[in-house]
Amino acid sequence: MQKHRARRPYKGMPDPGATCLYRLYDKDRQLLYVGIANNPVNRLNAHRWDKSKPWRRDIAIQSVEWFETRVAAEDAEVAAIRSELPLHNRTHHPECDSEPWSGYTAA
């Protein structure tokens, strides 16, 4: 089992607050990707314009669920990725360990 590394540079910073968990689906409602963002419109556009993601053209549906804190959204993101198995997420895939990775501190 491969250990994942914290990828956030926010060590010790205060939680920025309201954060959404978003899911991206194709036209047949196949789950493509799960992520978190403070601005889901900007994040969706970033995915759609990222040429390194060949699946970007398959995005047809986006769902958004808001959380009061980024830490809560991160927890929900990890749980969603590990249970729903989106096609294109690699971080937090079930082969990763279950250590918390948030660098934010509770407010």
Side-chain angles (χ1 to χ4, degrees):
M1 191 180 304
Q2 185 182 22
K3 235 180 177 179
H4 70 275
R5 293 187 187 133
R7 60 186 169 97
R8 302 284 186 194
Y10 311 120
K11 190 80 174 163
M13 291 180 68
D15 189 308
T19 303
C20 79
L21 171 72
Y22 64 88
R23 291 172 175 86
L24 304 177
Y25 300 89
D26 68 12
K27 64 180 176 54
D28 298 320
R29 296 211 48 94
Q30 172 69 51
L31 183 59
L32 300 173
Y33 191 83
V34 172
I36 58 173
N38 296 96
N39 185 326
V41 173
N42 286 352
R43 190 66 186 114
L44 174 60
N45 286 333
H47 282 298
R48 285 195 168 138
W49 288 100
D50 186 346
K51 292 181 181 179
S52 71
K53 295 178 169 130
W55 52 270
R56 68 192 173 105
R57 296 183 194 275
D58 297 332
I59 300 169
I61 302 164
Q62 178 185 28
S63 71
V64 174
E65 178 182 358
W66 284 94
F67 292 84
E68 289 186 26
T69 66
R70 187 167 187 97
V71 170
E74 289 172 348
D75 290 343
E77 177 190 30
V78 172
I81 292 168
R82 291 186 176 176
S83 65
E84 299 169 33
L85 304 175
L87 293 177
H88 300 290
N89 282 89
R90 295 294 168 253
T91 303
H92 309 306
H93 191 273
E95 293 176 3
C96 295
D97 66 41
S98 61
E99 289 183 30
W101 60 276
S102 177
Y104 287 109
T105 58

